[in-house]
Amino acid sequence: MRLSICIPAYNFGAFINQTLDSIWGQCQSAHDAVEVLVVDGASTDNTAIVVNERAAGWPQLKYVRLPRRGGIDADLAESVRLARGEYCWLFSGDDVMRDGAFEQALQWLGRGHDVYLCKHSNCDLNMKVLGEHPVFRSDVVQIAELSDPQQRLAYLSEGMTSEAVFSFISSLIVRRDKWLSVHDPQEFMGSCWAHVARLFAAAQTQLRVCYVGEIWIDRRGENDSFRDRGIVNRLRIAVDGYHSIAERFFGHASPEAAEIRRMVRNDLQFKVWLHAKCRTREAPAIESRRELDRLMATCYGDPDVKCWLIRITYRLMPVVVYRMLRGVYRRMSRMCQMIGIRG
């Protein structure tokens, strides 16, 4: 079997039908080449009902329900372990595969690389496309052997966001035997980035990555499963997680780690930090100002002028000023919508 589409799911009953619809229509003519595997981490909603109804008329679709919730890292690893394909497309249960992407993926797999990385669009909760998400400085095809220091640094230097270093699972197709060649990275299990650590571990010996520069995925927004734990916690996952991976595999002072930190900063726009600062005033029981300050100092801790200026601006800008600017922006946005202007 050529390709397993591995979908770890937890309480995605409201969205997974749309995800499966986007896949089903494209793989019906490739019965022997593909399987779709949904691994349910003990959902408490109707995920099981939705997927089992689909599986009844779709032999390529397999549903496995785990006895307890393991979290995204454990459930994703289990889905790859259970897969039978030569390659595994790691796929989120609320994203949508674009028309033609499956056929394009099969063609690219013929080139024999270890990891394929595609691009995606950002959408709202109802899958209205809002724009393309940047991955590299340009959308040309890039191929790099990450075990080679020169190629690795060139690859990282071209990256715009952490998706260049595997943060978004639906953009990743991985050779299964390469994934299984390293053990579960216990140090990072539960961090949300165990798959990233696993790929960097594999790259210690050999990992050939290909960025195809094409949009294959529409990513559903406004459905962050960690949203109920607060924005500061979400920033912690991103900052501490990727900084720990960069330090573990390359060392803090390495040029590779510096490039990874830069990509994380690009992910987290300055307005996100100001919004989080505002939230620490509005909901101090959930949002910790002390933790937010620590994360800001960590994220922008590199010794350059830009990082210093952002740290100073963050510290000195009063919350009331941010609230005022945010209110003006929202009023202007509503006004533009009323008169037909599109931003």
Side-chain angles (χ1 to χ4, degrees):
M1 182 174 292
R2 191 62 160 162
L3 180 63
S4 296
I5 301 175
C6 298
I7 307 176
Y10 179 76
N11 286 353
F12 278 164
F15 309 113
I16 199 166
N17 230 346
Q18 190 173 8
T19 299
L20 295 175
D21 280 344
S22 72
I23 299 168
W24 184 84
Q26 300 189 52
C27 69
Q28 290 306 293
S29 61
H31 293 285
D32 298 329
V34 65
E35 68 174 352
V36 180
L37 179 63
V38 176
V39 174
D40 183 352
S43 291
T44 58
D45 69 351
N46 65 335
T47 296
I49 296 172
V50 172
V51 179
N52 278 319
E53 287 178 350
R54 297 301 301 273
W58 187 0
Q60 296 154 292
L61 174 60
K62 295 177 176 59
Y63 172 75
V64 176
R65 180 177 174 85
L66 301 178
R68 63 186 63 86
R69 186 180 184 185
I72 182 62
D73 293 326
D75 294 351
L76 183 60
E78 181 67 6
S79 71
V80 177
R81 189 187 70 80
L82 294 172
R84 297 178 297 150
E86 179 185 359
Y87 285 90
C88 293
W89 192 336
L90 314 180
F91 214 96
S92 176
D94 60 347
D95 295 327
V96 169
M97 184 185 293
R98 282 204 167 181
D99 288 344
F102 175 76
E103 187 61 36
Q104 286 288 97
L106 288 184
Q107 292 178 17
W108 278 96
L109 295 185
R111 305 191 183 195
H113 302 301
D114 298 313
V115 176
Y116 293 88
L117 180 65
C118 70
K119 195 175 180 182
H120 71 83
S121 73
N122 289 319
C123 304
D124 64 13
L125 186 66
N126 298 313
M127 298 308 295
K128 176 185 176 182
V129 175
L130 304 175
E132 298 181 8
H133 191 87
V135 182
F136 288 91
R137 298 183 193 276
S138 62
D139 287 330
V140 298
V141 173
Q142 299 201 39
I143 299 172
E145 172 50 64
L146 295 191
S147 64
D148 179 88
Q150 187 173 0
Q151 291 188 50
R152 180 175 64 237
L153 186 55
Y155 175 91
L156 295 175
S157 299
E158 284 296 307
M160 281 291 291
T161 64
S162 67
E163 293 197 11
V165 282
F166 321 129
S167 62
F168 177 48
I169 65 169
S170 293
S171 69
L172 294 171
I173 301 177
V174 181
R175 187 189 292 273
R176 183 171 178 270
D177 61 3
K178 179 61 64 174
W179 174 283
L180 296 176
S181 68
V182 294
H183 296 296
D184 289 342
Q186 295 300 325
E187 178 183 353
F188 294 99
M189 295 301 285
S191 71
C192 297
W193 309 122
H195 67 285
V196 179
R198 190 176 206 122
L199 293 176
F200 276 128
Q204 302 300 295
T205 52
Q206 186 267 323
L207 192 77
R208 193 165 60 252
V209 177
C210 175
Y211 171 64
V212 302
E214 301 170 355
I215 297 179
W216 289 354
I217 301 293
D218 290 323
R219 180 181 187 177
R220 190 183 302 275
E222 304 172 30
N223 189 42
D224 192 328
S225 58
F226 298 94
R227 182 172 52 185
D228 61 336
R229 303 179 195 176
I231 188 172
V232 174
N233 180 66
R234 197 66 185 88
L235 289 168
R236 179 193 60 77
I237 290 171
V239 174
D240 286 351
Y242 260 95
H243 281 230
S244 296
I245 287 173
E247 186 161 342
R248 163 67 176 80
F249 289 99
F250 306 111
H252 181 81
S254 67
E256 289 95 339
E259 294 293 350
I260 291 172
R261 293 194 296 268
R262 173 187 58 80
M263 286 186 263
V264 172
R265 289 195 292 270
N266 287 344
D267 287 341
L268 307 174
Q269 298 179 16
F270 185 55
K271 65 181 181 181
V272 174
W273 293 94
L274 293 180
H275 175 65
K277 185 177 178 181
C278 184
R279 288 291 297 158
T280 62
R281 287 283 192 90
E282 297 169 348
I286 300 174
E287 310 287 8
S288 166
R289 175 62 185 272
R290 178 178 294 182
E291 178 71 351
L292 181 65
D293 290 348
R294 180 190 71 80
L295 292 169
M296 163 57 70
T298 300
C299 191
Y300 287 91
D302 283 359
D304 63 58
V305 173
K306 184 177 180 181
C307 285
W308 179 80
L309 287 173
I310 289 177
R311 291 199 310 270
I312 291 295
T313 305
Y314 163 83
R315 186 164 67 244
L316 296 180
M317 179 175 283
V319 168
V320 66
V321 173
Y322 169 71
R323 286 173 175 164
M324 180 184 68
L325 293 175
R326 184 176 61 179
V328 170
Y329 174 79
R330 287 176 174 174
R331 287 193 295 272
M332 291 296 293
S333 296
R334 287 195 296 268
M335 186 180 299
C336 289
Q337 290 174 2
M338 289 175 63
I339 63 177
I341 297 176
R342 295 292 181 267

PDB file of all heavy atoms in Angstrom, residues 2-19:
ATOM      1  N   ARG A   2       0.507   2.211  -0.831  1.00  0.00           N
ATOM      2  CA  ARG A   2       1.349   3.391  -1.006  1.00  0.00           C
ATOM      3  C   ARG A   2       1.197   4.424   0.108  1.00  0.00           C
ATOM      4  O   ARG A   2       2.177   4.967   0.611  1.00  0.00           O
ATOM      5  CB  ARG A   2       1.009   4.040  -2.357  1.00  0.00           C
ATOM      6  CG  ARG A   2       1.968   5.115  -2.809  1.00  0.00           C
ATOM      7  CD  ARG A   2       3.353   4.589  -3.010  1.00  0.00           C
ATOM      8  NE  ARG A   2       4.153   5.445  -3.855  1.00  0.00           N
ATOM      9  CZ  ARG A   2       5.467   5.389  -3.910  1.00  0.00           C
ATOM     10  NH1 ARG A   2       6.116   4.512  -3.155  1.00  0.00           N
ATOM     11  NH2 ARG A   2       6.160   6.180  -4.703  1.00  0.00           N
ATOM     12  N   LEU A   3      -0.052   4.726   0.509  1.00  0.00           N
ATOM     13  CA  LEU A   3      -0.283   5.866   1.388  1.00  0.00           C
ATOM     14  C   LEU A   3      -1.362   5.563   2.424  1.00  0.00           C
ATOM     15  O   LEU A   3      -2.446   5.084   2.085  1.00  0.00           O
ATOM     16  CB  LEU A   3      -0.704   7.082   0.554  1.00  0.00           C
ATOM     17  CG  LEU A   3      -0.995   8.389   1.296  1.00  0.00           C
ATOM     18  CD1 LEU A   3       0.246   8.904   2.004  1.00  0.00           C
ATOM     19  CD2 LEU A   3      -1.523   9.439   0.324  1.00  0.00           C
ATOM     20  N   SER A   4      -1.045   5.863   3.683  1.00  0.00           N
ATOM     21  CA  SER A   4      -2.034   5.839   4.762  1.00  0.00           C
ATOM     22  C   SER A   4      -2.287   7.281   5.192  1.00  0.00           C
ATOM     23  O   SER A   4      -1.343   8.014   5.481  1.00  0.00           O
ATOM     24  CB  SER A   4      -1.528   5.038   5.967  1.00  0.00           C
ATOM     25  OG  SER A   4      -1.336   3.681   5.641  1.00  0.00           O
ATOM     26  N   ILE A   5      -3.561   7.672   5.204  1.00  0.00           N
ATOM     27  CA  ILE A   5      -3.921   8.988   5.716  1.00  0.00           C
ATOM     28  C   ILE A   5      -4.305   8.793   7.175  1.00  0.00           C
ATOM     29  O   ILE A   5      -5.331   8.185   7.485  1.00  0.00           O
ATOM     30  CB  ILE A   5      -5.061   9.612   4.894  1.00  0.00           C
ATOM     31  CG1 ILE A   5      -4.626   9.746   3.431  1.00  0.00           C
ATOM     32  CG2 ILE A   5      -5.450  10.975   5.469  1.00  0.00           C
ATOM     33  CD1 ILE A   5      -5.719  10.245   2.500  1.00  0.00           C
ATOM     34  N   CYS A   6      -3.443   9.262   8.082  1.00  0.00           N
ATOM     35  CA  CYS A   6      -3.566   8.993   9.516  1.00  0.00           C
ATOM     36  C   CYS A   6      -4.211  10.192  10.209  1.00  0.00           C
ATOM     37  O   CYS A   6      -3.637  11.286  10.223  1.00  0.00           O
ATOM     38  CB  CYS A   6      -2.191   8.722  10.116  1.00  0.00           C
ATOM     39  SG  CYS A   6      -1.358   7.273   9.415  1.00  0.00           S
ATOM     40  N   ILE A   7      -5.386   9.974  10.788  1.00  0.00           N
ATOM     41  CA  ILE A   7      -6.155  11.060  11.393  1.00  0.00           C
ATOM     42  C   ILE A   7      -6.373  10.776  12.874  1.00  0.00           C
ATOM     43  O   ILE A   7      -7.287  10.041  13.254  1.00  0.00           O
ATOM     44  CB  ILE A   7      -7.523  11.212  10.687  1.00  0.00           C
ATOM     45  CG1 ILE A   7      -7.350  11.344   9.172  1.00  0.00           C
ATOM     46  CG2 ILE A   7      -8.277  12.412  11.249  1.00  0.00           C
ATOM     47  CD1 ILE A   7      -8.663  11.412   8.403  1.00  0.00           C
ATOM     48  N   PRO A   8      -5.542  11.354  13.756  1.00  0.00           N
ATOM     49  CA  PRO A   8      -5.847  11.281  15.186  1.00  0.00           C
ATOM     50  C   PRO A   8      -6.985  12.250  15.485  1.00  0.00           C
ATOM     51  O   PRO A   8      -6.995  13.390  14.989  1.00  0.00           O
ATOM     52  CB  PRO A   8      -4.541  11.733  15.846  1.00  0.00           C
ATOM     53  CG  PRO A   8      -3.887  12.610  14.830  1.00  0.00           C
ATOM     54  CD  PRO A   8      -4.306  12.101  13.480  1.00  0.00           C
ATOM     55  N   ALA A   9      -7.955  11.819  16.259  1.00  0.00           N
ATOM     56  CA  ALA A   9      -9.143  12.655  16.471  1.00  0.00           C
ATOM     57  C   ALA A   9      -9.571  12.613  17.929  1.00  0.00           C
ATOM     58  O   ALA A   9      -9.514  11.567  18.580  1.00  0.00           O
ATOM     59  CB  ALA A   9     -10.293  12.175  15.584  1.00  0.00           C
ATOM     60  N   TYR A  10     -10.011  13.767  18.408  1.00  0.00           N
ATOM     61  CA  TYR A  10     -10.632  13.836  19.730  1.00  0.00           C
ATOM     62  C   TYR A  10     -11.729  14.895  19.679  1.00  0.00           C
ATOM     63  O   TYR A  10     -11.449  16.083  19.465  1.00  0.00           O
ATOM     64  CB  TYR A  10      -9.622  14.169  20.821  1.00  0.00           C
ATOM     65  CG  TYR A  10     -10.275  14.262  22.191  1.00  0.00           C
ATOM     66  CD1 TYR A  10     -10.646  13.103  22.874  1.00  0.00           C
ATOM     67  CD2 TYR A  10     -10.551  15.495  22.766  1.00  0.00           C
ATOM     68  CE1 TYR A  10     -11.268  13.175  24.111  1.00  0.00           C
ATOM     69  CE2 TYR A  10     -11.189  15.575  24.004  1.00  0.00           C
ATOM     70  CZ  TYR A  10     -11.541  14.412  24.670  1.00  0.00           C
ATOM     71  OH  TYR A  10     -12.177  14.484  25.881  1.00  0.00           O
ATOM     72  N   ASN A  11     -12.975  14.443  19.815  1.00  0.00           N
ATOM     73  CA  ASN A  11     -14.145  15.333  19.799  1.00  0.00           C
ATOM     74  C   ASN A  11     -14.207  16.205  18.543  1.00  0.00           C
ATOM     75  O   ASN A  11     -14.416  17.418  18.619  1.00  0.00           O
ATOM     76  CB  ASN A  11     -14.169  16.206  21.060  1.00  0.00           C
ATOM     77  CG  ASN A  11     -14.579  15.425  22.306  1.00  0.00           C
ATOM     78  OD1 ASN A  11     -14.968  14.251  22.207  1.00  0.00           O
ATOM     79  ND2 ASN A  11     -14.504  16.055  23.452  1.00  0.00           N
ATOM     80  N   PHE A  12     -14.038  15.560  17.395  1.00  0.00           N
ATOM     81  CA  PHE A  12     -14.142  16.249  16.111  1.00  0.00           C
ATOM     82  C   PHE A  12     -15.422  15.870  15.368  1.00  0.00           C
ATOM     83  O   PHE A  12     -15.518  16.015  14.151  1.00  0.00           O
ATOM     84  CB  PHE A  12     -12.934  15.919  15.225  1.00  0.00           C
ATOM     85  CG  PHE A  12     -11.707  16.742  15.534  1.00  0.00           C
ATOM     86  CD1 PHE A  12     -10.465  16.339  15.064  1.00  0.00           C
ATOM     87  CD2 PHE A  12     -11.784  17.897  16.285  1.00  0.00           C
ATOM     88  CE1 PHE A  12      -9.324  17.083  15.339  1.00  0.00           C
ATOM     89  CE2 PHE A  12     -10.657  18.657  16.570  1.00  0.00           C
ATOM     90  CZ  PHE A  12      -9.419  18.245  16.090  1.00  0.00           C
ATOM     91  N   GLY A  13     -16.423  15.401  16.103  1.00  0.00           N
ATOM     92  CA  GLY A  13     -17.650  14.954  15.455  1.00  0.00           C
ATOM     93  C   GLY A  13     -18.315  16.008  14.601  1.00  0.00           C
ATOM     94  O   GLY A  13     -18.958  15.693  13.597  1.00  0.00           O
ATOM     95  N   ALA A  14     -18.157  17.270  14.962  1.00  0.00           N
ATOM     96  CA  ALA A  14     -18.802  18.352  14.204  1.00  0.00           C
ATOM     97  C   ALA A  14     -18.088  18.646  12.891  1.00  0.00           C
ATOM     98  O   ALA A  14     -18.670  19.296  12.012  1.00  0.00           O
ATOM     99  CB  ALA A  14     -18.846  19.627  15.058  1.00  0.00           C
ATOM    100  N   PHE A  15     -16.844  18.168  12.739  1.00  0.00           N
ATOM    101  CA  PHE A  15     -16.047  18.567  11.578  1.00  0.00           C
ATOM    102  C   PHE A  15     -15.521  17.403  10.744  1.00  0.00           C
ATOM    103  O   PHE A  15     -15.222  17.574   9.562  1.00  0.00           O
ATOM    104  CB  PHE A  15     -14.836  19.395  12.036  1.00  0.00           C
ATOM    105  CG  PHE A  15     -15.182  20.533  12.940  1.00  0.00           C
ATOM    106  CD1 PHE A  15     -14.788  20.535  14.268  1.00  0.00           C
ATOM    107  CD2 PHE A  15     -15.915  21.610  12.467  1.00  0.00           C
ATOM    108  CE1 PHE A  15     -15.102  21.591  15.109  1.00  0.00           C
ATOM    109  CE2 PHE A  15     -16.234  22.672  13.297  1.00  0.00           C
ATOM    110  CZ  PHE A  15     -15.829  22.668  14.625  1.00  0.00           C
ATOM    111  N   ILE A  16     -15.400  16.225  11.347  1.00  0.00           N
ATOM    112  CA  ILE A  16     -14.659  15.163  10.671  1.00  0.00           C
ATOM    113  C   ILE A  16     -15.380  14.650   9.419  1.00  0.00           C
ATOM    114  O   ILE A  16     -14.741  14.142   8.500  1.00  0.00           O
ATOM    115  CB  ILE A  16     -14.331  14.013  11.651  1.00  0.00           C
ATOM    116  CG1 ILE A  16     -13.183  13.163  11.104  1.00  0.00           C
ATOM    117  CG2 ILE A  16     -15.573  13.166  11.966  1.00  0.00           C
ATOM    118  CD1 ILE A  16     -12.572  12.234  12.114  1.00  0.00           C
ATOM    119  N   ASN A  17     -16.703  14.807   9.359  1.00  0.00           N
ATOM    120  CA  ASN A  17     -17.413  14.413   8.144  1.00  0.00           C
ATOM    121  C   ASN A  17     -16.926  15.213   6.949  1.00  0.00           C
ATOM    122  O   ASN A  17     -16.738  14.674   5.851  1.00  0.00           O
ATOM    123  CB  ASN A  17     -18.924  14.602   8.329  1.00  0.00           C
ATOM    124  CG  ASN A  17     -19.699  13.369   7.924  1.00  0.00           C
ATOM    125  OD1 ASN A  17     -19.169  12.475   7.283  1.00  0.00           O
ATOM    126  ND2 ASN A  17     -20.962  13.313   8.290  1.00  0.00           N
ATOM    127  N   GLN A  18     -16.722  16.516   7.150  1.00  0.00           N
ATOM    128  CA  GLN A  18     -16.232  17.352   6.057  1.00  0.00           C
ATOM    129  C   GLN A  18     -14.812  16.957   5.673  1.00  0.00           C
ATOM    130  O   GLN A  18     -14.458  16.944   4.483  1.00  0.00           O
ATOM    131  CB  GLN A  18     -16.288  18.826   6.459  1.00  0.00           C
ATOM    132  CG  GLN A  18     -16.032  19.784   5.310  1.00  0.00           C
ATOM    133  CD  GLN A  18     -16.264  21.238   5.700  1.00  0.00           C
ATOM    134  OE1 GLN A  18     -16.485  21.560   6.868  1.00  0.00           O
ATOM    135  NE2 GLN A  18     -16.198  22.127   4.726  1.00  0.00           N
ATOM    136  N   THR A  19     -14.007  16.626   6.667  1.00  0.00           N
ATOM    137  CA  THR A  19     -12.646  16.153   6.387  1.00  0.00           C
ATOM    138  C   THR A  19     -12.689  14.881   5.554  1.00  0.00           C
ATOM    139  O   THR A  19     -12.000  14.761   4.530  1.00  0.00           O
ATOM    140  CB  THR A  19     -11.903  15.881   7.706  1.00  0.00           C
ATOM    141  OG1 THR A  19     -11.810  17.096   8.454  1.00  0.00           O
ATOM    142  CG2 THR A  19     -10.514  15.334   7.457  1.00  0.00           C
TER     143      THR A  19
END
